[in-house]
Amino acid sequence: MGGGYQWLFAWCMAHTMADYEQAVAPHKHDLFAGIGGRILELGAGTGPNAVYYPPGSTWIALEPNPYMYPYLKQAAQTHGLHLELAAGRAEAIPLADASVDAVVSTLVLCSVSNPSQVLQEVLRVLKPGGTFHFLEHVAAPTQTRLWHWQKRLKPLWRCLADGCCPDRETGRSVEQAGFASVNYTAFEAPLPALVRPQLVGRAHKAALA
Ligand SMILES: C[S@@+](CC[C@H](N)C(=O)[O-])C[C@H]1O[C@@H](n2cnc3c(N)ncnc32)[C@H](O)[C@@H]1O
């Protein structure tokens, strides 16, 4: 995607998501309860999750769109976080093995090119006993009318929404990735129908025996 498109996408994320963030705030309060230490956030965007991290935490924001960086710097300053900006993609996280306490992904696994590879990277960089916190929009139940529309409109939606796929089976992907435990719940978000079915949950990497 070109620079103009990336700028516009960053501007849209910064200026159109307030109602959504307000609606999902109760889910995010539960999702991020107890998070701290070295937090890696995949595709951190404009930083809407910064408000949930304890002040003083290290926030490693992995973000390929440089037009998001001013928003991330502002969010880190506002919420007292030590920001480490990382340009790169979640398919090849530029961090050492077992180097972070928690990994966060909100509305990102829909856009990555290879969700399974990303989840293997999440497991690699998490310390033993570390947690993966996710909130993602997902495929509607199979063969429903919405599921068919998600398939039909996917090519157009991907162009409009920075490569986002509306029909990913993200719950199943996380379950199959190799975490010691996975828990999530489904809910409906106040967004266009294609991206309304969402999941929120946590997965734990096994602790050392
Ligand atoms: C829909 S936005 C969500 C941003 C933020 N997580 C939020 O909840 O508002 C998707 C974000 O993922 C980023 N992204 C896309 N592909 C990525 C990849 N392969 N690795 C890491 N981030 C990616 C985009 O640049 C964008 O910031």
Side-chain angles (χ1 to χ4, degrees):
M1 297 287 181
Y5 183 97
Q6 285 188 314
W7 177 87
L8 181 62
F9 190 69
W11 188 91
C12 288
M13 290 305 294
H15 293 93
T16 65
M17 296 296 279
D19 288 350
Y20 170 79
E21 288 300 333
Q22 197 176 349
V24 298
H27 293 296
K28 287 195 172 182
H29 274 292
D30 291 345
L31 178 65
F32 296 126
I35 200 170
R38 273 173 70 77
I39 302 165
L40 165 65
E41 182 165 350
L42 310 179
T46 59
N49 299 326
V51 64
Y52 299 99
Y53 304 149
S57 304
T58 297
W59 179 31
I60 306 163
L62 178 65
E63 176 50 63
N65 181 346
Y67 295 97
M68 301 289 189
Y69 296 175
Y71 300 109
L72 291 169
K73 288 176 185 167
Q74 180 63 59
Q77 195 177 353
T78 302
H79 301 293
L81 303 170
H82 302 295
L83 177 65
E84 292 179 17
L85 268 177
R89 299 198 161 263
E91 289 84 353
I93 298 172
L95 294 178
D97 297 359
S99 59
V100 299
D101 298 287
V103 179
V104 170
S105 175
T106 62
L107 309 182
V108 176
L109 291 177
C110 52
S111 299
V112 301
S113 58
N114 187 333
S116 303
Q117 188 179 335
V118 169
L119 292 167
Q120 291 314 304
E121 281 290 90
V122 170
L123 278 163
R124 181 183 66 77
V125 300
L126 272 176
K127 294 177 185 172
T131 45
F132 177 47
H133 306 246
F134 57 96
L135 189 161
E136 298 286 345
H137 70 79
V138 295
T142 310
Q143 299 299 338
T144 56
R145 181 184 289 198
L146 179 56
W147 183 85
H148 286 291
W149 278 109
Q150 287 177 324
K151 300 273 175 211
R152 267 185 221 123
L153 293 178
K154 177 160 115 173
L156 174 64
W157 187 259
R158 289 195 74 181
C159 293
L160 294 175
D162 198 29
C164 167
C165 299
D167 62 343
R168 290 216 161 138
E169 306 274 354
T170 299
R172 190 182 304 164
S173 298
V174 179
E175 282 168 348
Q176 293 176 346
F179 290 95
S181 68
V182 179
N183 291 289
Y184 59 81
T185 55
F187 69 100
E188 299 233 318
L191 284 178
L194 283 197
V195 290
R196 199 173 289 154
Q198 304 209 346
L199 297 181
V200 58
R202 290 189 194 201
H204 288 83
K205 179 172 171 172
L208 287 178

